[in-house]
Amino acid sequence: MTLPFTPYQEIASIAARYTSGDGEYQTAIEGLAISRRSTPSVPCHGSYRPCLAMVIQGSKSVELGTDTIDYGPGHYLLTSLDLPVVWRVVEASPETPHFCLTLAINSERLLNLLSLDHMERPSASAVSQRGIAVNHATPELLDAAVRLLRLLDNPGDIAAMAPLIEQEILYRLLTGPAGGQLINIAVADKQGNRIARAIAWLRENFAQPLRIEDIAEQVGMSVSSFHHHFKTITAMTPVQYQKRLRLHEARRLMLVERLDAGNAGHRVGYQSPSQFSREYSRLYGLSPARDTEAIRDSAAAE
C-alpha cells in the first residue's frame, strides 16, 4: 500500500513543478514566492521584509546582527519588520533541492483580522522578542500552506480562495507563539510599532546624517528607550542598521549601475572614501572593487 504524502512532500512536489531551476519564483498568488537551490550557498547579504518563511526541504541559516538562526522542515521563520540579514542555504542537493516558501505579511489584512469582534489578541508584553523568530509549524498551519499551494494547479480559484487561506494563515500565526511578536509590530501604541516606523524612516533616508534624538522624538520615545528597544528588536544599534543599509545599496549601485566605489560610497552618504572602503571590507570580506569583480566573475562562470 502506498502511504499518502506528508504535507512537506506534497508541497515539495508542487514546488518542483513551478520552479525550473535554482532561483526565486514569484507565483500566481500575490505575495507568495518559492525559492529553490540544488547546492548549499555562500553567505548572501540582503533584506527580509515582513513575511512567513517555511523551509520544505533542506535547511537554512540567517544572521541578524549578532544572532544566528537555523531552521529547516518542521519550523517556520517569521519576520515582522524590515531587517538587513545574511542568509545561506546549508543543506541542499540536486536529488533533494532546498525549497522555501515565503508569504508576505499583509499589514492591512492583519489589522482587519485583529478588528474582528471574536478575535482575542494574544499578549504583546514580550518586547524582548526579536523582529525575526523561529517556531514549530503546527499541523493546522501546514494544512493551510498545502491548500494555498494547491491553488497553483487551479488558477481559476486563486482570486476567491487565496485571500481566505491567507487570512487563515495569519490567524494561525496570531494564535501561535509568534502572535505577540506580530501584535507588538502591528498595533500603533506598541513599542515595536514605533521601531517599525523608525525603520521605515531610515530606509527612506539612509544617506542622510543620523541624529538619534530626532528619530526618537519623531516616533514618540525617549532616546534611551528608543536605543534599547531598537537593539532588542533588530539585534543592531540604529547606527549599525543604517550602515548595513548604506553598504547594501552601495553594492547594488556598483553591480547594477556600474558606479565606481568612490561615487557609490558618496551616493549612500559616505564623505570619506577610505572609511567606506574599510567598512565595506569589514562587512563583505573584500574591498569594493575586488568584491564586485568576484561577483561578476562568478555570474559569468554560471
Side-chain angles (χ1 to χ4, degrees):
M1 181 178 69
T2 302
L3 294 175
F5 275 178
T6 68
Y8 291 104
Q9 289 172 325
E10 183 172 357
I11 294 174
S13 176
I14 297 172
R17 289 189 280 108
Y18 287 91
T19 54
S20 57
D22 287 357
E24 181 167 320
Y25 298 80
Q26 298 297 320
T27 71
I29 299 172
E30 184 180 0
L32 178 68
I34 303 171
S35 62
R36 173 178 182 157
R37 285 197 68 95
S38 57
T39 59
S41 70
V42 298
C44 302
H45 295 258
S47 294
Y48 278 7
R49 301 299 175 94
C51 71
L52 164 71
M54 190 178 292
V55 170
I56 307 305
Q57 288 184 170
S59 64
K60 198 170 185 179
S61 178
V62 176
E63 294 179 14
L64 172 67
T66 57
D67 295 351
T68 299
I69 304 165
D70 301 311
Y71 68 112
H75 297 87
Y76 67 88
L77 181 141
L78 181 68
T79 306
S80 51
L81 70 173
D82 296 355
L83 295 169
V85 299
V86 182
W87 61 267
R88 66 187 181 96
V89 173
V90 178
E91 295 180 15
S93 68
E95 298 75 23
T96 308
H98 164 82
F99 285 120
C100 183
L101 306 179
T102 58
L103 179 64
I105 300 294
N106 186 305
S107 58
E108 184 176 345
R109 289 176 183 169
L110 179 63
L111 290 172
N112 286 342
L113 183 59
L114 288 169
S115 70
L116 297 178
D117 291 338
H118 65 277
M119 182 69 195
E120 292 187 12
R121 291 188 176 186
S123 171
S125 59
V127 295
S128 62
Q129 289 175 316
R130 291 286 195 231
I132 287 181
V134 169
N135 293 289
H136 286 283
T138 63
E140 293 81 9
L141 181 60
L142 276 174
D143 177 65
V146 170
R147 285 184 279 111
L148 187 65
L149 264 290
R150 286 175 184 161
L151 293 179
L152 297 177
D153 291 332
N154 299 281
D157 295 340
I158 290 175
M161 297 302 298
L164 300 178
I165 300 175
E166 288 176 35
Q167 178 171 297
E168 179 183 350
I169 288 173
L170 287 175
Y171 173 80
R172 299 300 178 192
L173 295 176
L174 281 169
T175 55
Q181 179 188 354
L182 281 177
I183 290 289
N184 194 34
I185 300 301
V187 178
D189 61 351
K190 300 298 180 184
Q191 301 287 22
N193 182 270
R194 294 188 176 101
I195 299 303
R197 285 187 276 130
I199 283 175
W201 187 91
L202 281 170
R203 283 196 168 274
E204 291 293 324
N205 302 278
F206 60 82
Q208 296 185 19
L210 179 60
R211 283 182 48 83
I212 302 297
E213 298 84 355
D214 292 345
I215 303 178
E217 181 180 0
Q218 184 176 320
V219 298
M221 300 175 73
S222 69
V223 171
S224 60
S225 178
F226 171 70
H227 196 278
H228 169 73
H229 287 293
F230 193 101
K231 190 170 184 180
T232 295
I233 291 174
T234 69
M236 286 171 273
T237 66
V239 172
Q240 290 169 332
Y241 187 99
Q242 182 200 46
K243 188 181 299 182
R244 290 288 181 94
L245 294 180
R246 285 180 166 184
L247 294 173
H248 286 181
E249 174 61 10
R251 197 186 207 194
R252 188 196 69 81
L253 290 170
M254 289 185 290
L255 288 170
V256 178
E257 300 189 20
R258 300 279 178 167
L259 266 63
D260 60 41
N263 283 320
H266 187 266
R267 180 85 69 87
V268 300
Y270 280 92
Q271 302 303 314
S272 167
S274 61
Q275 182 187 2
F276 168 66
S277 182
R278 184 169 57 251
E279 293 185 353
Y280 189 103
S281 300
R282 188 178 299 129
L283 179 62
Y284 294 116
L286 293 171
S287 68
R290 291 182 62 189
D291 178 54
T292 52
E293 181 181 0
I295 294 173
R296 293 191 182 110
D297 289 345
S298 176
E302 293 178 358

